[in-house]
Amino acid sequence: MPGVYLSYPFCAQKCTYCNFASGVFPREREQRYREALEREIRVHRWEWRPETVYLGGGTPSNLEPEPLRPLLEAIPGRPWQEATMEAAPGSITAEKARAWADLGIDRVSLGVQSFVEAEIRRTGRKHTAETVVREMQILGQQGIVNCNLDLIAGLPGQSAATWRESLDWVERLAPAHVSVYMLEVDEDSRLGSEILRGGRRYGAGEIPSDDQIADFYEEAVERLAGMGIGRYEISNFARAGFDSRHNLKYWKLQPYAGFGADAHSFDGRVRRRNPESLEDYLKAAAPVEEPADPGERFYVGLRLMEGIRPTAQDGALFDGPIRRFVDAGLLETDASALRLTGRGVLLSNEVFQEFLTV
Ligand code: SF4
């Protein structure tokens, strides 16, 4: 059963590392966006009942309950199997949490990134570790116990000691789910472009080395496993039964419908991408469509630790790269599946690249 994604690209500030099409916009545009978003959902012809809902962004948790309600009420299928709200720490109040529970939200993903104040401040965020503790309590009081905490390995000034401090906080808070992302360096974020041009703003001169970042990641894999939070996807870890049902649809190439600026949809055959910029979305520019790529099963599906089951057609198309990566110890195969090895996870971009270019 498919999922629904709602994009809400408005934030209180633009974080230095963020390469999403999100930002700070005038209030008037936010209001027009909400109207356009609701319209897009309402005119959609539902050929199936949504099973999962995901509000991402941006910072949808900044939405007050009143404007949030019509957006969620326009989506059929309630009660959904899982409905996630992405939240920036510092934006959760008891009133919002109560409204979320009432509207069917049962999972909250907190973009914590770090529990170390000096690291958080440099990214432009304002929360503290105590903010996260307090807001998880507020959510728990409303019965929302399925919480994800996001961490970024590779922030400016991060060291083995500060990374450990963040992992210690995770252990104390004992969430159901944790995502660990490695810092992405590209032109789409202020920090990324500063690093690429060799500058020092935003702490660009104090980024941990690639080896250090790989060590942080490995340490997280080990520490989280010790807490009973196992890795099920390259960046995602969960207690038994708490894998993100919505995100699993992306990795398993199941259908989903995306609404809002830069939202993607997939019906099993064709991918559709809404206009990336807010302006183009508000002008109702047409979405871009393209057929699914035969290599997707590999570079998307192999992100899952359970791996994929190659078909005869996959075998014919990708026999060369599969053999090469198995011989190099980056992929392993048995009677049931083809999956990344521990080393393959660390070099997964190289592996995926091969299936992209075949
Ligand atoms: S990281 Fe999150 S809160 Fe920060 S600018 Fe990006 S979407 Fe907004």
Side-chain angles (χ1 to χ4, degrees), residues 53-303:
V53 174
Y54 197 103
L55 279 99
T59 314
S61 60
N62 281 345
L63 262 172
E64 290 301 326
E66 204 187 315
L68 173 66
R69 184 174 293 277
L71 297 175
L72 284 174
E73 285 181 348
I75 303 170
R78 198 185 317 220
W80 305 294
Q81 274 201 9
E82 179 191 275
T84 303
M85 168 72 78
E86 267 186 7
S91 65
I92 300 177
T93 61
E95 189 204 354
K96 279 186 188 168
R98 210 173 304 121
W100 295 350
D102 183 44
L103 289 167
I105 301 286
D106 63 353
R107 182 172 184 273
V108 170
S109 176
L110 278 152
V112 179
Q113 320 312 356
S114 166
F115 284 90
V116 177
E117 225 171 307
E119 287 170 14
I120 299 167
R121 291 294 165 272
R122 273 183 150 180
T123 68
R125 307 290 284 265
K126 297 187 183 70
H127 63 269
T128 61
E130 286 68 31
T131 315
V132 183
V133 174
R134 192 178 59 242
E135 295 191 345
M136 282 185 71
Q137 278 167 356
I138 291 175
L139 292 168
Q141 282 158 6
Q142 298 305 325
I144 304 177
V145 292
N146 187 356
C147 285
N148 168 59
L149 302 180
D150 279 349
L151 291 182
I152 296 181
L155 288 174
Q158 205 166 47
S159 66
T162 62
W163 182 243
R164 209 158 294 144
E165 200 178 322
S166 284
L167 293 174
D168 289 347
W169 273 106
V170 170
E171 187 157 16
R172 257 172 247 142
L173 287 165
H177 193 285
V178 178
S179 301
V180 178
Y181 299 105
M182 303 208 210
L183 181 75
E184 287 181 17
V185 177
D186 59 37
E187 290 288 352
D188 292 337
S189 73
R190 283 180 293 156
L191 176 58
S193 56
E194 189 70 11
I195 296 169
L196 292 174
R197 54 177 281 278
R200 304 195 64 79
R201 285 185 302 169
Y202 320 119
E206 291 165 64
I207 294 295
S209 69
D210 288 351
D211 283 350
Q212 276 175 305
I213 296 173
D215 287 348
F216 295 167
Y217 173 80
E218 292 279 82
E219 187 180 350
V221 173
E222 207 172 298
R223 286 279 306 271
L224 292 170
M227 300 173 207
I229 306 175
R231 177 171 62 180
Y232 68 99
E233 192 266 354
I234 293 180
S235 306
N236 286 282
F237 306 73
R239 295 183 193 279
F242 287 94
D243 296 6
S244 164
R245 293 182 188 202
H246 181 83
N247 289 339
L248 277 171
K249 294 185 191 301
Y250 300 141
W251 302 311
K252 295 194 167 187
L253 301 187
Q254 291 169 358
Y256 51 88
F259 300 94
D262 202 29
H264 295 213
S265 303
F266 179 55
D267 66 3
R269 287 176 310 106
V270 176
R271 295 203 167 274
R272 206 188 75 220
R273 200 173 65 242
N274 275 359
E276 183 177 340
S277 83
L278 201 58
E279 286 70 25
D280 289 345
Y281 177 73
L282 290 174
K283 278 188 233 147
V288 177
E289 292 197 350
E290 54 192 31
D293 170 354
E296 276 184 21
R297 269 170 47 71
F298 286 81
Y299 57 81
V300 177
L302 281 174
R303 296 190 60 90

Side-chain angles (χ1 to χ4, degrees), residues 8-24 56-60 62 86-89 111 113 123-125 150 152 190:
Y8 202 75
F10 300 90
C11 298
Q13 76 292 312
K14 184 70 183 174
C15 306
T16 57
Y17 58 82
C18 179
N19 57 5
F20 298 144
S22 63
V24 184
T59 314
N62 281 345
E86 267 186 7
Q113 320 312 356
T123 68
R125 307 290 284 265
D150 279 349
I152 296 181
R190 283 180 293 156

